[in-house]
Amino acid sequence: MDQGPLMRWAPLALLALLAACGGPGQPKADRGVDVPEPSGPPVAQQVNASPPPSLPSAAPSWESAVSGEGTALRLTESGGRLLLGIACLGSPARLTATAPGFSAIGSEDRFSLGLGQEPVTLVANLKSREGGVTAEGAVPDDFGALLDRASEISALYGTQRIGPVPAPPEALKEALAQVCAGSK
């Protein structure tokens, strides 16, 4: 099969074109066009780059709740969903903590309420049918001082954790401490 004249001359035309543009060994001035030189080896393309950070969600906030049963501090999300409740209920007062997002563990009854660096150990109610975990125990004699010194609060039950989160404002801490001390 006879190749046409274009097919025979195409490789020669390509070589002539490359020679006219200058080869890699020629200095820049001989190339005719100033093309910037790369400063180093090519950088690999990041295929799985992290997505841009999203806007931060509103931090949980503390509020006080007073009822006929006692006074409570409630840590809630921006939509009002309860994350952690701490209360002094009854007379004599019992310190209670409620974590609706926790799941009960049949073999675990120790619930630790962290007031700063000091844990207060409570006993989880494993027979609760309400969902979440509620724990209670005697109000420590130094509860007011522990709460007053706490700059952060946390809750730990098994491997489930809330916080540490910033402690409630002083006025809320003081109100709970007074109720706990007054109902002993």
Side-chain angles (χ1 to χ4, degrees):
M1 178 186 238
D2 183 29
Q3 295 179 354
L6 181 60
M7 293 302 286
R8 278 184 265 153
W9 292 100
L12 290 176
L14 182 59
L15 286 174
L17 182 61
L18 288 174
C21 292
Q26 294 180 344
K28 279 186 184 180
D30 294 340
R31 290 187 187 170
V33 176
D34 254 350
V35 177
E37 291 288 324
S39 62
V43 178
Q45 182 179 5
Q46 294 182 354
V47 176
N48 294 329
S50 304
S54 59
L55 295 174
S57 60
S61 61
W62 290 98
E63 61 187 27
S64 181
V66 180
S67 72
E69 294 181 51
T71 298
L73 292 178
R74 298 171 34 95
L75 178 66
T76 59
E77 289 182 316
S78 60
R81 186 175 74 96
L82 178 65
L83 297 174
L84 177 64
I86 304 169
C88 279
L89 303 175
S91 186
R94 304 285 297 160
L95 181 62
T96 65
T98 303
F102 284 179
S103 297
I105 303 168
S107 61
E108 180 67 55
D109 66 350
R110 187 173 64 181
F111 186 107
S112 295
L113 180 63
L115 302 176
Q117 298 300 314
E118 297 293 326
V120 175
T121 303
L122 304 172
V123 178
N125 178 357
L126 300 179
K127 296 179 183 178
S128 175
R129 304 229 187 267
E130 296 177 14
V133 174
T134 298
E136 68 175 42
V139 178
D141 291 334
D142 59 346
F143 179 72
L146 290 173
L147 189 58
D148 184 50
R149 287 192 306 262
S151 61
E152 59 188 24
I153 293 183
S154 60
L156 178 65
Y157 175 69
T159 60
Q160 302 167 83
R161 172 181 289 276
I162 296 173
V165 296
E170 294 301 318
L172 296 181
K173 290 195 297 187
E174 186 177 312
L176 182 62
Q178 286 178 354
V179 168
C180 288
S183 57
K184 280 187 125 187

